[in-house]
Amino acid sequence: MSERVPERVPEPGPLSFHVPAPAVRPGGTPDFSDVKISRAGEVRRPEVDVAPEEIRDLAFAIIRVLDRNSEAVGPWAGLLSDQELLEGLRHMMTLRAFDARMQMAQRQGKTSFYMQHLGEEAVSCAFRKALEPGDMNFPTYRQAGLLIAGGYPMLDMMNQIYSNELDPMKGRQLPVMYSSREHGFFSISGNLATQYIQAVGWAMASAMKRDTRIAAGWIGDGSTAESDFHAALVFASTYKAPVVLNIVNNQWAISTFQGIARGGAGTFAARGLGFGIPSLRVDGNDYLATHAVAKWAVERARRNLGPTVIEYVTYRVGAHSTSDDPSAYRPKTESDAWPLGDPVLRLKNHLIRRGVWSEDRHKQAEAEIMAGVIAVQKEAETHGTLHTGPHPSARDMFEGVYEQMPPHLRRQRQQGGV
């Protein structure tokens, strides 16, 4: 019997450093072949009290309602009336018109900064309609649809962007960083991901007080690389906080594709599985699907069943902000190739299919909405813009900050004569 000679183990070579790269660069042909899209209506709808381990597959599928014929199909359909859908369409159209005018205002020097929502309107507009008064959102800078769909005055939004004499934030926040306790919109932070763990803490406090209100945390795909994201999931899982943890995967951070932050997780929703949190992915350009999944998660939180992670698969059509040039890192035509389409057009086509809307009515609504936005803009500009007109008083730097003003700030205020 001959002795077996062990195979030679290769000598270790030099290590290589791995950096994920997008499928294409500027000048290349857009490629979304890695986005595995479920057929509309095929993803099951579990009971709201399902055990997290029984729906692990939903962290890898994409829940969709609207099919290619603009029909609403499957178990997640049928939650909204035609009137509610028409209202949702108007909210998205309003947000898009608001974006267009404020983007133009920034280019005209009337404000220093702006961030568009183009392509992502369904996410925040539909989610807002799943909430109740008193619930609190902890948003990023791309969820203005929560305010528009919640009835917050557009004039106040524009005054904040212009930092004029009627700015509700009194010049203390960057443009688009709104805040309204009455409308369930917590102060936006320029430090990314901080709002995620704040949402969990607020939800825990609500449970401790035996209240009925829930919280919703919001984060972009790029910011999930921050440590606060993971800390939020630990606390939410451990204490079963009544919170919905939303991840808006719009494919791109400011200049980095989503694969950098996602790492080897496969999907962003899958990260919730390791914490024992129910995790779902939804077509973020499908208003009906987005609302249905939000409603499911909100009900779960309100019934004291704990947190839910939702990943909205969408696409950022515009630049990250007015300080960004996306042509430097992605093909100019990439948005045209996005396989999940335009949220406004998809809902419009569904309503036309149902016989409650038409192309003519849509064009008329576009004109009416834009005229309304322009009218509000003209009014806001009478109260000042970045370089013209009245601004908040310098005394606002000192008032409403401390209950008892420290001596050094009292001296500074006296020196400033305010």
Side-chain angles (χ1 to χ4, degrees):
M1 187 173 183
S2 60
E3 183 178 351
R4 184 179 178 183
V5 179
E7 295 182 9
R8 182 181 177 82
V9 178
E11 292 293 327
L15 300 174
S16 61
F17 183 67
H18 172 69
V19 179
V24 291
R25 297 289 189 181
T29 302
D31 180 14
F32 289 108
S33 59
D34 60 327
V35 182
K36 307 303 180 186
I37 301 175
S38 310
R39 291 195 307 275
E42 78 168 346
V43 179
R44 62 197 175 96
R45 186 182 189 279
E47 295 296 325
V48 74
D49 59 352
V50 66
E53 60 270 18
E54 294 180 14
I55 57 169
R56 291 178 62 87
D57 57 306
L58 299 191
F60 300 95
I62 298 179
I63 296 167
R64 299 175 62 222
V65 170
L66 293 176
D67 65 14
R68 297 190 183 279
N69 296 318
S70 300
E71 295 278 9
V73 297
W76 295 88
L79 300 185
L80 292 168
S81 67
D82 288 341
Q83 189 58 43
E84 288 171 324
L85 292 174
L86 287 167
E87 182 184 41
L89 178 63
R90 192 170 188 88
H91 290 153
M92 291 196 292
M93 294 170 69
T94 301
L95 177 55
R96 186 163 291 188
F98 175 80
D99 265 353
R101 295 302 301 183
M102 293 298 96
Q103 180 86 355
M104 186 184 301
Q106 192 279 333
R107 297 307 189 206
Q108 294 171 339
K110 295 176 180 178
T111 183
S112 60
F113 183 74
Y114 191 70
M115 304 188 80
Q116 285 185 304
H117 306 71
L118 191 61
E120 302 178 40
E121 293 91 348
V123 175
S124 54
C125 288
F127 187 91
R128 179 61 183 81
K129 304 311 290 184
L131 297 175
E132 294 181 2
D135 294 337
M136 183 63 71
N137 285 280
F138 289 75
T140 74
Y141 33 63
R142 221 182 299 275
Q143 276 86 53
L146 294 169
L147 292 173
I148 286 178
Y152 185 73
M154 184 180 291
L155 179 61
D156 290 348
M157 296 173 72
M158 290 185 179
N159 288 335
Q160 195 279 328
I161 291 169
Y162 288 142
S163 298
N164 62 24
E165 64 175 346
L166 295 185
D167 174 7
M169 305 304 293
K170 302 183 184 300
R172 294 169 178 166
Q173 279 276 38
L174 281 168
V176 310
M177 293 193 178
Y178 319 103
S179 177
S180 175
R181 181 176 184 177
E182 296 75 17
H183 286 79
F185 198 92
F186 200 82
S187 301
I188 294 177
S189 172
N191 299 313
L192 301 181
T194 58
Q195 71 280 359
Y196 224 54
I197 198 162
Q198 291 166 355
V200 175
W202 193 97
M204 289 168 58
S206 184
M208 291 174 186
K209 292 186 294 185
R210 306 290 294 171
D211 206 335
T212 60
R213 300 172 298 163
I214 69 162
W218 294 85
I219 201 166
D221 53 278
S223 301
T224 61
E226 298 280 348
S227 59
D228 280 356
F229 170 79
H230 303 277
L233 266 62
V234 169
F235 276 79
S237 172
T238 301
Y239 298 104
K240 298 187 70 172
V243 62
V244 182
L245 296 169
N246 297 303
I247 304 169
V248 182
N249 175 11
N250 63 17
Q251 312 305 308
W252 290 95
I254 188 167
S255 59
T256 308
F257 89 114
Q258 51 114 358
I260 295 291
R262 190 190 68 231
T267 71
F268 288 97
R271 288 184 167 177
L273 299 178
F275 296 89
I277 300 176
S279 303
L280 305 86
R281 297 175 85 217
V282 62
D283 178 350
N285 289 16
D286 181 338
Y287 186 96
L288 286 81
T290 296
H291 175 269
V293 171
K295 196 76 174 174
W296 188 92
V298 166
E299 182 182 351
R300 187 177 177 90
R302 212 175 303 280
R303 287 174 56 178
N304 217 34
L305 295 169
T308 302
V309 169
I310 303 176
E311 176 188 346
Y312 302 87
V313 183
T314 182
Y315 186 83
R316 170 169 61 77
V317 176
H320 183 268
S321 73
T322 50
S323 304
D324 176 42
D325 177 12
S327 67
Y329 54 82
R330 69 185 188 191
K332 290 184 178 180
T333 59
E334 189 176 77
S335 63
D336 297 332
W338 176 242
L340 295 178
D342 181 310
V344 174
L345 294 180
R346 289 177 66 187
L347 183 54
K348 179 196 80 169
N349 291 337
H350 173 63
L351 291 167
I352 291 175
R353 180 90 176 183
R354 290 190 58 79
V356 297
W357 200 237
S358 67
E359 291 287 356
D360 288 343
R361 291 172 71 184
H362 190 80
K363 290 178 182 177
Q364 181 182 0
E366 281 183 321
E368 291 172 351
I369 289 169
M370 182 59 78
V373 172
I374 291 173
V376 175
Q377 182 180 8
K378 289 180 178 178
E379 182 179 353
E381 291 179 2
T382 65
H383 299 288
T385 63
L386 179 63
H387 296 298
T388 63
H391 295 96
S393 170
R395 67 175 177 271
D396 290 327
M397 289 190 294
F398 303 95
E399 293 182 350
V401 180
Y402 292 95
E403 184 177 3
Q404 298 293 330
M405 189 179 297
H408 72 283
L409 290 184
R410 245 192 332 266
R411 288 194 298 271
Q412 288 180 20
R413 180 172 180 173
Q414 291 168 354
Q415 291 169 2
V418 293

